[in-house]
Amino acid sequence: CQKPETRVLRLTVEDMRSVIETKSLRDEVAYHKTLRLIQKIFIFRHLDMDQLRVVASSFEVKKAKAGDVVMAEGEMGDSMALVIEGSAAISKDGVFITTKEAPTYIGDRALLYDEPRTAT
């Protein structure tokens, strides 16, 4: 520091972790990830930015562990899901088809059609 009255602000790794682990910041990060992702989803293509913000804020953050069934083949669909971290294994008739890596979405047909889910 060259000047006699230089002020320096420090943020420790512990302090940053504490900030990141707060619910409000996690929710804010999830909201922005959601907004970026839904802008790419075909069924939302005609929505303006205000409408996209409303949709993005309507999603609820849920955690799923490896092996958890998020949506089951044959059940009536009433929601879609965004995978903002991790991945989702897709199967049909009990047979593995593919893995969808974040960021991605699943179950979007439920918002368009009144039909049973076509895959787990």
Side-chain angles (χ1 to χ4, degrees), residues 1-113:
C1 297
Q2 297 288 327
K3 295 183 179 184
E5 291 190 30
T6 300
R7 295 178 68 193
V8 177
L9 302 175
R10 279 186 64 217
L11 178 66
T12 66
V13 171
E14 292 83 23
D15 290 338
M16 185 61 186
R17 283 187 186 132
S18 172
V19 168
I20 289 172
E21 291 174 3
T22 64
K23 185 178 186 319
S24 60
L25 183 59
R26 279 195 310 255
D27 290 346
E28 188 69 17
V29 169
Y31 167 79
H32 287 286
K33 286 181 178 180
T34 300
L35 186 58
R36 281 195 309 270
L37 180 54
I38 65 171
Q39 288 174 316
K40 299 175 186 177
I41 298 175
F42 182 76
I43 63 174
F44 300 128
R45 71 190 178 283
H46 295 298
L47 300 183
D48 63 31
M49 187 51 74
D50 288 338
Q51 292 169 318
L52 289 169
R53 286 186 184 109
V54 170
V55 171
S57 65
S58 298
F59 281 90
E60 228 178 276
V61 176
K62 301 274 186 177
K63 291 185 179 182
K65 297 177 192 152
D68 285 356
V69 174
V70 177
M71 297 178 178
E73 180 179 359
E75 72 183 10
M76 288 305 292
D78 65 352
S79 64
M80 68 175 292
L82 304 180
V83 180
I84 57 173
E85 293 176 3
S87 62
I90 310 299
S91 63
K92 184 160 180 66
D93 300 321
V95 177
F96 172 80
I97 297 173
T98 189
T99 299
K100 295 186 84 173
E101 300 286 338
T104 192
Y105 55 95
I106 55 177
D108 52 309
R109 290 179 60 93
L111 301 182
L112 298 174
Y113 308 106

